[in-house]
Amino acid sequence: VNLDLELFAAVDTASATKKSDGGRVCTLELKKADGEWWPKLSSGKTPKNVKVDWATWKDEDEAETEKYAPRSAGMESMGEMG
């Protein structure tokens, strides 16, 4: 099966992953090449059979918060010591 979808901007093809359940569902994970905010997924009309996984969706403000949030670096297990 071929998918011809013109995305809003360029993606990083080196980091692309594909998962298939062996049936009708195929999941593609693509990362934006420039990291800029896209107002929509495609530059044209999105096919009806292309869906967004809202569980992994990040809004612009969530991505910005994550960018500046301190990382725990594994500190969550420190309470188990000693």
Side-chain angles (χ1 to χ4, degrees), residues 48-59:
K48 292 181 181 183
N49 60 343
V50 173
K51 307 280 187 236
V52 174
D53 181 359
W54 294 108
T56 61
W57 180 269
K58 290 183 186 171
D59 287 326

Side-chain angles (χ1 to χ4, degrees), residues 4 6 8 11 17 25 37 40 42 44 46-47 49-50 58-62 72 76 78 80:
D4 187 18
E6 192 171 330
F8 186 78
V11 295
T17 60
V25 178
W37 181 250
K40 58 184 186 170
S42 65
T46 304
N49 60 343
V50 173
K58 290 183 186 171
D59 287 326
E60 185 176 15
D61 58 341
E62 291 174 325
S72 66
E76 59 274 354
M78 291 293 285
E80 298 173 7

